[in-house]
């Protein structure tokens, strides 16, 4: 049952937009053979691009919520489609439907009797609804509750990363990546869903980043290189992103996401308590597996 818990954590981290590898702890960085540590570069976007991206970051944060749809591929581990709505105005709130289309995680979820999963995010916890086969092994309960304050107990080091991602529900990570790229540039004009949009692009190598929360997060996720393309509409709102990267453990990462309907209300009901089991019970073997 512990594997099922880790799978549910992995798919939600990925759905929220982070290229994580939640099943594996990060490998330690090998020591260098030189007596002096190599200087750490601190690439940043050119000033004009940085100013434009900051405006997008502010507008996106102020909008408070959006509808999202995405496709994600993480090497042989996961292929997935996600649809739903997220709010970040007063803590992470959202509802998502995740459909697994391939990879090891899809096989694990099929073993739990489902090729899709509902997820509900609330400020204190998130909930994952698995299939009937899972419920048969969890005393008839379909929903797993992950309390934010207990996530460090998740196996494989996935909990700390998941907790951080839940605090960063807004789709701002691609902006953060571009702001760290000295290669970031305005890459022309285009259209997204028939509307005019400005494209920005950049590529970064994680080893070249100065020590920061961003570098630590990408390193923990196993990211070696990352390219980012975003499209911004006339309101300075992010409407599309494409991220491609290389992960140490799982190979290629590809994610394409679309955001629209900014500012919508995102009501999320807490699942019924009599159909919910806490993930700590499953880790302790109390779920009936």
């Amino acid at each position: 049952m512990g594997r099922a818990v880790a799978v549910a954590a992995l798919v939600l981290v990925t759905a929220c937009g982070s290229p994580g590898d939640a099943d594996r702890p990060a490998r330690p960085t090998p020591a260098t053979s030189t007596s002096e540590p190599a200087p750490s570069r601190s690439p940043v976007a050119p000033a004009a691009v940085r100013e434009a991206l900051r405006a997008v970051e502010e507008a996106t944060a102020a909008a408070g919520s959006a509808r999202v749809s995405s496709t994600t591929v993480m090497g042989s581990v996961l292929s997935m489609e996600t649809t739903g709505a997220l709010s970040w105005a007063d803590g992470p709130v959202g509802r998502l439907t995740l459909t697994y289309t391939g990879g090891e995680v899809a096989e694990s979820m099929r073993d739990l009797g489902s090729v899709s999963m509902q997820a509900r995010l609330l400020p204190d916890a998130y909930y994952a609804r698995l299939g009937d086969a899972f419920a048969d092994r969890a005393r008839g309960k379909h929903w797993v509750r992950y309390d934010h304050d207990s996530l460090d107990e998740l196996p494989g080091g996935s909990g700390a990363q998941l907790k951080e991602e839940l605090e960063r529900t807004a789709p701002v990570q691609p902006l953060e990546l571009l702001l760290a790229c000295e290669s970031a540039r305005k890459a022309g004009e285009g259209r997204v869903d028939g509307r005019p949009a400005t494209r920005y692009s950049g590529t970064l190598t994680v080893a070249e980043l100065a020590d920061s929360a961003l570098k630590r997060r990408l390193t923990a996720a196993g990211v070696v290189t990352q390219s980012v393309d975003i499209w911004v509409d006339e309101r300075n709102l992010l409407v599309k992103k494409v991220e491609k990267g290389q992960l140490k453990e799982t190979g290629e990462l590809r994610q394409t996401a679309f955001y629209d309907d900014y500012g919508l209300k995102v009501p999320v009901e807490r699942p019924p308590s009599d159909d919910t089991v806490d993930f700590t019970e499953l880790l302790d073997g109390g779920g009936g597996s």
Side-chain angles (χ1 to χ4, degrees), residues 248-282:
K248 287 181 181 178
E249 300 286 353
T250 60
E252 184 181 11
L253 162 75
R254 300 193 309 276
Q255 185 177 71
T256 300
F258 294 88
Y259 304 94
D260 62 14
D261 207 2
Y262 276 94
L264 84 164
K265 294 187 180 301
V266 187
V268 180
E269 294 183 2
R270 199 175 298 273
S273 58
D274 60 359
D275 196 25
T276 301
V277 61
D278 195 273
F279 85 93
T280 55
E281 295 182 41
L282 304 181

Side-chain angles (χ1 to χ4, degrees), residues 9-220:
L10 170 64
V11 293
L12 187 60
V13 168
T14 308
C16 290
S18 171
D21 184 5
D23 245 359
R24 300 181 177 92
R27 289 180 174 177
T29 303
T32 61
S33 58
T34 59
S35 56
E36 294 284 337
S40 186
R41 295 178 60 196
S42 183
V44 293
V49 173
R50 188 163 62 251
E51 182 178 355
L53 294 175
R54 290 295 187 198
V56 177
E57 192 173 45
E58 291 175 7
T60 300
S65 63
R67 200 174 306 280
V68 59
S69 62
S70 67
T71 58
T72 303
V73 177
M74 290 173 55
S76 61
V77 172
L78 172 69
S79 298
M80 179 179 69
E81 298 175 354
T82 304
T83 59
L86 296 170
S87 172
W88 49 89
D90 298 303
V93 174
R95 56 182 189 272
L96 299 167
T97 299
L98 302 87
T99 302
Y100 317 105
T101 55
E104 297 168 13
V105 171
E107 293 299 321
S108 295
M109 297 308 294
R110 289 190 187 98
D111 291 342
L112 296 176
S114 178
V115 294
S116 67
M117 183 182 81
Q118 296 178 45
R120 297 183 187 177
L121 285 71
L122 290 162
D124 63 324
Y126 88 81
Y127 297 79
R129 191 186 194 284
L130 303 177
D132 290 338
F134 171 85
D136 289 342
R137 297 155 59 186
R139 298 178 299 183
K141 308 296 179 63
H142 291 86
W143 290 92
V144 184
R145 180 180 186 273
Y146 298 80
D147 185 282
H148 295 181
D149 292 334
S150 303
L151 287 172
D152 289 341
E153 298 179 42
L154 273 171
S158 58
Q161 182 187 352
L162 177 56
K163 186 174 183 178
E164 183 175 358
E165 290 304 324
L166 289 171
E167 295 170 353
R168 301 176 68 258
T169 307
V172 296
Q173 177 158 297
L175 298 168
E176 189 177 4
L177 292 171
L178 281 173
L179 285 164
C181 293
E182 62 181 0
S183 65
R185 68 193 188 283
K186 182 178 177 180
E189 306 292 333
R191 304 186 78 82
V192 176
D193 290 334
R195 300 181 61 177
T198 302
R199 179 181 176 184
Y200 295 89
S201 299
T203 301
L204 63 80
T205 300
V206 174
E208 295 179 348
L209 293 174
D211 185 46
S212 62
L214 174 64
K215 182 173 183 176
R216 291 191 293 272
R217 187 165 62 249
L218 294 175
T219 300

